[in-house]
Amino acid sequence: MDDQTTRPYGLRFAAIAMAGGGVLYSATNAFYWAMFPDEVSETAANVDVAASDLGAWRVETILFTLTHLLLLPAMAGLIVAVGRRKRLVATIGGAFVVPALYFSAIHLWYYNAFFGALAGGGVKVDAVRPVVDALDKDPLVVASFVVWILGWMIGLLVLAFGAWRAGLVSLWVPLVLTVGNVLDLVSSGLAPKLVVSVLMAAGLIGLAQGLRPRRMESVAAAVRS
């Protein structure tokens, strides 16, 4: 199978981006919860969180944004790979996951940079609360957040199960990603988030293994036979 069929990314690049994104996702998630283990009771309280360690806040903002940007070409490669055998599944998964990663990068960068800037300027929670409350109620802000959270989870799982059905990965890969996403939604605190980090890294690296050119060639050979 010719890698040129997956331009502009290529199978190898997609696999490397998927594995790299998995490792960076895990490390960044663990870093964030290790530095900021207490979940905020209101969005405005992120000003105090950022102020508690502004350097760490800015580092995790950059790392999370880079993670989601790296996962964009990785998911593009996965969409192409799954689409060769499961076109409808690839289309549905891509329709969810690509906008999710786009909005997540924008949301993480600007939203987190916003709180970092306020914390760096010494602005207090009471002063920023009316602005943040207005943002939280704005339909465009809410929509971008929903597209990010639900689109990422649904799109990733659709593509992961599609990759399993296409013979690219074993069943454990989508199952691990499912558990990781669900645990991420329902948990808070360092210990469960470290488990989430491990599960997500394992699942994304598993997907990367399925995108290797040799793996794709063996699947294609099995289909032809």
Side-chain angles (χ1 to χ4, degrees):
M1 183 175 293
D2 189 352
D3 285 2
Q4 299 302 314
T5 58
T6 57
R7 284 182 176 178
Y9 304 108
L11 291 175
R12 290 186 179 86
F13 182 79
I16 292 170
M18 186 75 77
V23 172
L24 194 56
Y25 185 100
S26 175
T28 306
N29 196 52
F31 173 79
Y32 173 81
W33 285 99
M35 298 303 300
F36 310 108
D38 299 322
E39 189 167 340
V40 297
S41 58
E42 60 172 337
T43 307
N46 279 307
V47 173
D48 287 340
V49 174
S52 67
D53 195 328
L54 187 56
W57 180 268
R58 286 175 170 161
V59 167
E60 66 87 14
T61 299
I62 294 170
L63 291 178
F64 264 128
T65 304
L66 289 176
T67 298
H68 288 82
L69 289 175
L70 188 60
L71 287 173
L72 267 171
M75 289 299 155
L78 182 61
I79 291 166
V80 172
V82 173
R84 289 173 180 172
R85 294 194 61 191
K86 303 290 180 181
R87 186 177 299 274
L88 179 60
V89 172
T91 301
I92 295 172
F96 278 99
V97 82
V98 172
L101 288 171
Y102 176 76
F103 277 106
S104 69
I106 294 174
H107 186 97
L108 282 165
W109 184 265
Y110 284 104
Y111 216 59
N112 283 25
F114 171 72
F115 288 112
L118 293 174
V123 179
K124 302 302 181 184
V125 171
D126 290 340
V128 76
R129 185 175 286 113
V131 176
V132 174
D133 287 346
L135 284 171
D136 283 346
K137 296 175 183 177
D138 184 82
L140 292 180
V141 174
V142 173
S144 69
F145 190 77
V146 171
V147 170
W148 165 25
I149 299 299
L150 293 183
W152 165 245
M153 183 175 67
I154 294 172
L156 174 62
L157 296 183
V158 168
L159 289 171
F161 278 101
W164 166 60
R165 293 292 296 165
L168 297 175
V169 299
S170 301
L171 180 58
W172 71 264
V173 172
L175 291 180
V176 162
L177 289 171
T178 300
V179 175
N181 273 281
V182 173
L183 182 61
D184 195 22
L185 284 177
V186 302
S187 68
S188 62
L190 178 59
K193 294 300 184 180
L194 289 178
V195 176
V196 170
S197 296
V198 172
L199 291 173
M200 294 301 293
L204 291 171
I205 291 173
L207 286 177
Q209 293 296 310
L211 288 176
R212 292 179 305 169
R214 289 183 181 179
R215 177 61 179 168
M216 295 290 294
E217 290 170 0
S218 65
V219 170
V223 172
R224 288 194 296 269
S225 62

